[in-house]
Amino acid sequence: MIRLATLFSGIGAVEQALIRMNKDYKIVFACDNGDIDIDIDTEEIRNIVFNMKSKKQKKDYVDDLYKNKSRKQNYVKQSYLANYDIKEEDFYADVRFLDGKDYKGKVDLLVGGSPCQSFSSVGYQGGLDDVRGTLFYEYARIVKETQPKVFIYENVRGLTTHD
């Protein structure tokens, strides 16, 4: 069985691919904020979250932030939870506050691709000056912390030629 984790999970494209290939998999965690932007001090929140002891404490803290600072619904999360065998406690709202060390050695395949608008030839092309472009570093951090057997990073061509 493949232990799968996804970042920027969206509709679950890799999950659908595994289903179509009749591969047995279990979702370890998934993460997508559904394009909800909240006004917070990211560094302060990271310091708080990454100093908490338990995975549940960290997740509950971040979930409460999203609940209290945004009136929007995370429809990506709702859809993902409805379509895949995953507990809500394993779905994260924000990659910036996901502590990959909690999953070290527990992931076989990590898949994701940060938002492409920053690098796409049809997008804004703000690169690393666009906050969405900096989420690439969060993906790299999660790879380093979880140490999956394999990872797949999907994005647009402009990612390797920009900045």
Side-chain angles (χ1 to χ4, degrees):
M1 174 178 302
I2 299 169
R3 297 175 300 170
L4 174 69
T6 64
L7 300 173
F8 314 101
S9 304
I11 61 169
V14 72
E15 293 83 345
Q16 288 301 308
L18 292 170
I19 290 167
R20 290 184 65 158
M21 294 186 303
N22 292 317
K23 298 294 180 188
D24 196 19
Y25 73 95
K26 178 185 183 327
I27 301 170
V28 177
F29 70 81
C31 181
D32 198 305
N33 75 352
D35 208 22
I36 297 172
D37 188 24
I38 58 175
D39 187 24
I40 54 173
D41 181 339
T42 304
E43 286 307 310
E44 178 184 340
I45 301 302
R46 286 171 71 100
N47 286 333
I48 292 169
V49 170
F50 292 164
N51 283 304
M52 291 178 169
K53 299 224 184 294
S54 78
K55 186 169 51 172
K56 181 177 177 0
Q57 231 183 344
K58 296 171 190 178
K59 182 167 179 350
D60 289 347
Y61 182 83
V62 174
D63 286 352
D64 285 344
L65 278 175
Y66 271 81
K67 196 181 304 177
N68 295 328
K69 299 243 181 217
S70 176
R71 295 178 190 254
K72 289 184 177 180
Q73 288 286 335
N74 186 339
Y75 294 113
V76 173
K77 175 183 175 182
Q78 289 176 354
S79 176
Y80 196 93
L81 292 173
N83 286 294
Y84 301 106
D85 185 18
I86 181 174
K87 297 175 188 161
E88 188 167 355
E89 66 198 45
D90 295 319
F91 192 97
Y92 291 85
D94 197 320
V95 68
R96 298 172 299 172
F97 312 122
L98 171 57
D99 190 348
K101 293 179 290 239
D102 291 332
Y103 294 97
K104 184 176 180 178
K106 298 177 182 178
V107 176
D108 296 322
L109 175 60
L110 176 67
V111 179
S114 55
C116 66
Q117 298 91 333
S118 305
F119 304 102
S120 172
S121 61
V122 295
Y124 171 65
Q125 297 180 346
L128 297 174
D129 291 332
D130 181 342
V131 71
R132 295 171 297 187
T134 64
L135 293 175
F136 163 81
Y137 294 115
E138 296 300 332
Y139 184 91
R141 176 183 61 81
I142 298 295
V143 169
K144 182 178 180 180
E145 292 175 354
T146 60
Q147 297 184 3
K149 292 180 181 177
V150 176
F151 70 90
I152 299 171
Y153 182 79
E154 178 272 330
N155 210 286
V156 296
R157 181 177 182 213
L159 177 70
T160 59
T161 59
H162 200 282
D163 289 320

